[in-house]
Amino acid sequence: MSVIRFKFEDEIADATIDFVSDQLNSLPADNAQDELLQKVWRTQRGFHISPRNQRLPFRDTATTTVYEFDVATGTYTGSGLASTMQSGLRAASVFSTHAVVYDTNTNYFTFTKPSTATFLALMYADNPTSSGSVAIITGFDHGTTYSGTTISSTIETQGNEHEIVFEFSATKSVQAFIIDGHDIDLAERVQIRGSTVGASDFISPYNTAPTITFSTAPGVFPIITVDLSTATNLRAIQLHWYMRSKAQSEIGRFYAGPYFEPENQTNNEDLQWIKKTVNNRSNVMTTIAGTTLFDKRDPLDEYEIIAQPIDKFFSSATKTGYENLIATVGNDVSFWVSFNSDSGPDISFSTFYGHLVGDYSFARIPGSPTLRLDNLRFRQQR
Amino acid sequence: MITTFSGLISASRSQKTFLLELEPSELVTDWTLHAGTATASNASYRSVIGDVDVVRVDEDGSVLVENSNTSLGNGQWFYSSTTLFVRVTDGGSIFGKDIVGDYKLYFGTKSKTFNDNFYHPFVESVPTISQEKENLFWGISVVGDATVRMINHDGFFDEIFDRYAWNNKNATLLLGGEDLPFGEYAGVFGGIIRNKNLTTDRFELTISDRKHVLEDAIEVESFETTVYPNLLADVAGRAIPLVYGTAMDVPVTSITDALGTGTSSHTFKAASTSTRSIVGFDKVMVNGVSVAFTGTSTAAATFNLATSVYTPGDTVTTNMRGYPLSNTVAITKDLLSSVQSIPFGSDDWDTSSVAVASSSASVFPVGLTTRSDSLLDVLGELMKSCMGTLFINNAGKLAINIWSPDIASGLTSVDYYDIADGTFSVSAKERDVRKTVRVGWMRCFDGDTYSFVQSSKAQTERLFGTTRSRTIRTLLSTKAGAATFRDRTAFLFERGMSFIDIRTKLQLATENVADRINLSIRRRASDSDLSWLSVQPVDIFRLTKNFTTNEITARVSSLRDLAAGVGHWTSDAPVLADQFGGGSATPWDPTWSDAEAAHAQANFGYWTDADGFADATDGRTKDRSRWL
């Protein structure tokens, strides 16, 4: 089915950030609530330990006792984290010759059992201790127990596990999520969860009972877009992701909120838009030699969305939807539009951020209940 | 992908990005106690100052130390997430102390993130920057005022317009673009903010370069009766001069005249010695007549005259060697550091250009005495005496360039691919042609008279029908220096100068006046270059950089026959370049092609016969070897 979906009531913009794993002073997490597209939230480089991913649960005796060591919160280098975990293992255990090393060439952690112990096991599958564990950030899988004489990460890691939790002032209707301006371009996990209760529902990245979960290996999507079939009332949103082959991450902007989809768009014939690229912004100079020299300027894309006349059966919902859109965004608020046609690519490739240009009017066609709407001109926001 | 600045300005298509870094300050008030207590001298305070890059924090003018967390020791600060934490040096109450935060704000014509700083894309227009030498071959060039306009997006500047202190704060404009890393962005203007203007949609700043530091009077000590109790009362307050190098006929002041006939000898002080000693006195004259003098003190710059040769009221002058600095560049640095408190360092100076200039100026030793004259006037005289230009460069640093007949290699080349159609024009004025050049040296400061050296070129009169002369009075203190000065200026004046105007893209973005470029002009691709403008070194006389249209208009002056190399004594055997197949370049071979002959003339000197020919059978060699 071909659709246009307007996403303009961004609940993230007014939300408070209840928890953020890490941020730089100069590029803080609340940049993700800013309108300018390229103003990002950027994390520090390396292994950032928070109360959500600090637990190292392990066994190294024949008993069933699971020891726990909580790594102190902060940002570590790989070697620094290895050293801290080694000290923690020794302090928490009855043995004192555990070894943990981080290979800066391969980016792997290796745990070695104490010389006099029978074995060493990392109890990452063991609830509840596995909640909030160091499994992911140290290159292991959550939910798996690892044991042996030496245990090495299953995947190279430079840290870079992060999460952010937004809490709304009240319950909000959410049907779409967008993650824009990100550098998550490799096959690791992105998880979006929602809660009707609030931020306290996200004690750890792996806690149970979120209301909705969207989990994906995102691939290479310029904008990660998730649309739900039905709207859900939520009080808080959590985004958790890891991309361990890179040392740090950045996120440009989030959207969480409803979308407006005009009714009766059932096939390609109803969906129409024109895309214009405003290219003639560059400075040019012609030289004596006849060579033309260009100072390039960024082109701007402009979409003209041809709104279908509201059908002869008078769709008041569509009319209200457009009125609500115009009233909310005016000509100074940027928002997203997703175009999704049957033969088109994933919606993540056809979601764009921009603002309305020009005035807008509704015209009642004489002698009929049909309303004709102006075309929407929608200019890219960079 | 373009990743270097040279690639950016030479590419036929490129996207330019300007970055603007502003450094305002704020007097931070509105403090809340964060931890500890003032009575226990362990109080730290916090204040919400907003999202800003804090560079420095001062307490009553003294710098505080940055800490890495909120557990502050005395005299420390920490900034995190819009809040500034400060613990003053005594750990007590912060109220009543001036806490000034120095911030850095980042803007650009396009949003960029460099070094974890986000450059807001608010810059709407960047200034047109003009730079011009006041005189053809020397002087002080300063960049004019420039206005930068930014978009007041969402009221970004509404509050900070008033809260921050902007005037006299640094502003730096950088040019880059495409995929250039930050390190490749080049400074194109550095100055201080002079004016600010706010509207609902715009925030404008007027930025000027640092020429105001040159506009003050030289501050010198003065003769005071508190220091010199035997000073005549009407001499009190008179400036004690500075004396550099070898200076003739320097007026001196008696510091014992009040004793009148009550002493058998009077003491005279010639120069200020608060920071330096002089070298010595060579001769003392009373009313123009040389007399014996005693009791020389170089530390105090004093000598004594017996009352048999001096009576209070006589005019006393001296030929002396003042401070042991006779290099014009060294004197310039000394004046600016002692007078204007601009120490010589990379913060304020382009140290590498100054080092080169100092070496080039060594052939022009000078002598100078000055009282509380205008610094601009004195610097102008110094620059004239060494054919130097003092200017503020693109990064806002002081720099000096000495006119030299040596042409450096690796000059920026500009040719018909770079020059906008219809913008090439050449003009020459008769008044720039001189048959005779006279250079004044060994200035007698009391009488303001000079010795002169002169040269005259008969060919100029024959060709141009003019006998006009140019007299240049300098501070030069040696005849050899004056002769070199004379020969160089005579070369430039004997056939006049051609001024060439061109407009290019940003090939000249990092050039300054007094720089040199290689210029080539031809009419069409299939034509040859003009014979007199083929890879011809030219001096930049005026530059106007319009960064809105990314175009640079330049006026350059042709160096005429001054070629790629000037002769140097060398033991190396001259060899033609590889493209000519090598081979010895001496003696002159009349069968050489025009290109080989041009190469040989440009790179090697040849003894000529009485008629000026290096090879009497080859007319191309006439008058092509000169001493400068």
Side-chain angles (χ1 to χ4, degrees), chain B residues 381-395:
Chain B
E381 288 289 311
L382 285 168
M383 288 299 110
K384 179 167 76 174
S385 303
C386 64
M387 300 184 74
T389 301
L390 173 69
F391 59 98
I392 312 279
N393 72 3
N394 295 320

Side-chain angles (χ1 to χ4, degrees), chain B residues 73 128 130 139 274 343 348 355 510 518:
Chain B
T128 297
S130 295
S274 58
D348 299 291
T510 54
N518 276 331

Side-chain angles (χ1 to χ4, degrees), chain A residues 73-94:
Chain A
T73 60
T75 304
Y76 297 82
T77 61
S79 306
L81 181 59
S83 171
T84 301
M85 289 193 293
Q86 175 175 293
S87 304
L89 289 170
R90 294 179 179 184
S93 168
V94 298

Side-chain angles (χ1 to χ4, degrees), chain B residues 243-247 278-282 319-323:
Chain B
V243 182
Y244 291 91
T246 302
I278 63 166
V279 177
F281 298 103
D282 294 327
N319 293 349
M320 62 182 288
R321 283 158 289 135
Y323 314 132

Side-chain angles (χ1 to χ4, degrees), chain A residues 49 52-59 66-71 81 85-86 89 100 109-111 120-147 151-155 157 161 204 206 244:
Chain A
I49 302 294
R52 313 274 241 244
N53 66 348
Q54 66 181 162
R55 180 143 299 172
L56 175 54
F58 66 99
R59 284 178 56 208
V66 176
Y67 300 106
E68 291 173 358
F69 167 69
D70 286 346
V71 179
L81 181 59
M85 289 193 293
Q86 175 175 293
L89 289 170
V100 184
F109 286 92
T110 301
F111 293 74
L120 174 66
L122 303 176
M123 307 300 292
Y124 296 137
D126 214 38
N127 278 324
T129 57
S130 68
S131 297
S133 78
V134 295
I136 293 294
I137 202 168
T138 53
F140 294 93
D141 294 333
H142 164 74
T144 304
T145 296
Y146 300 87
S147 68
I151 306 166
S152 290
S153 309
T154 57
I155 190 170
T157 173
E161 178 194 12
S204 82
Y206 298 101
R244 293 171 288 188

